[in-house]
Amino acid sequence: MDENENENKNKNENENGDGRRIVVLGAGGRVGRAAVAEAVARGHRVTAVVRDPARHPDLGRAGVTVVRGDATDPGAVAALAAGHDAVVHASVRLDVPSEEYFAATATALVTGLAEAGVGRLLTLGIATTLEDANGVRLMDAPGFPAEWRAFAQGHVVEFELLAATAGPELDWLMVVPPLDLNAEAEPTGGYRTAVGTVVDGPGRIAHADLALALLDEIEAPRHSRVQLAVSA
């Protein structure tokens, strides 16, 4: 396992930010909100994309522009991303088959970001697609629930499409939280990582700590075109 111990407990030395412009797709969800908050705290400007801005009046604040958008529409992605430096994709649809939705978003992001000239994409993965210590994906373990596997397969398709279709101009990364992405977990101000495999330990992370990893990979990219597992 290629594991990286993150020793710098939140890069608050970078709290003044470098004025980047970041799109957050799915900004109304818990991960999206955490990413927006962390980006603003670091001094970046955020375009927070949701399906219905009227449902998220609390997202609006200094440094944040809330807009309507569709992550499955290449033209909409291109228009939203124009003039931005990076995109965080944290959107999900539970009323659409997982493979269908994530295939559509991967295609739209590759096409739209190329048109917009945006070179950094972080997309959120799911822990069940990671390998355990024996090299077996969690979703492939005997007895793994079929309905959970069907949802995880959407992220597998997304990863495969990004790997197959994204050109060298798009520096993309799939950031994968552990199974226990816990809204009640106490933030630690740090995180650990592994490439493609489950991170040893409790398998839990707070949304705020996951947001640290997302923003760190935007400000100083260290990983590209892999599944980066992140855990407390």
Side-chain angles (χ1 to χ4, degrees), residues 35-110:
V36 169
E38 181 63 21
V40 170
R42 297 187 186 204
H44 303 302
R45 290 172 292 167
V46 178
T47 298
V49 183
V50 295
R51 288 194 292 274
D52 182 4
R55 295 179 56 192
H56 305 285
D58 58 310
L59 277 176
R61 70 187 78 170
V64 180
T65 302
V66 183
V67 301
R68 184 189 310 273
D70 181 358
T72 67
D73 181 341
V77 170
L80 288 166
H84 289 74
D85 301 296
V87 172
V88 175
H89 174 220
S91 74
V92 65
R93 288 285 295 271
L94 300 180
D95 59 337
V96 176
S98 180
E99 286 192 48
E100 177 184 329
Y101 183 71
F102 287 110
T105 58
T107 300
L109 287 164
V110 169

Side-chain angles (χ1 to χ4, degrees), residues 120 170-174 217 221-227:
R120 185 59 165 168
L170 182 60
D171 183 20
W172 63 269
L173 176 68
M174 181 173 279
E217 282 287 345
R222 297 183 59 193
H223 300 87
S224 180
R225 295 175 174 257
V226 295
Q227 284 186 303

Side-chain angles (χ1 to χ4, degrees), residues 57 71-72 104 121 124 174 180-181 196 202:
T72 67
L121 166 66
L124 196 71
M174 181 173 279
D180 189 1
L181 177 55

Side-chain angles (χ1 to χ4, degrees), residues 148-230:
W148 294 3
R149 194 180 197 285
F151 183 80
Q153 185 62 27
H155 288 284
V156 173
V157 169
E158 178 188 21
F159 184 86
E160 291 175 345
L161 278 171
L162 288 172
T165 64
E169 70 281 356
L170 182 60
D171 183 20
W172 63 269
L173 176 68
M174 181 173 279
V175 178
V176 186
L179 290 173
D180 189 1
L181 177 55
N182 197 301
E184 304 302 322
E186 188 71 23
T188 66
Y191 57 89
R192 298 175 299 132
T193 66
V195 175
T197 63
V198 175
V199 181
D200 289 336
R204 190 184 202 202
I205 197 168
H207 289 81
D209 288 341
L210 178 60
L212 296 181
L214 292 169
L215 268 295
D216 286 352
E217 282 287 345
I218 288 175
E219 292 182 344
R222 297 183 59 193
H223 300 87
S224 180
R225 295 175 174 257
V226 295
Q227 284 186 303
L228 182 68
V230 178

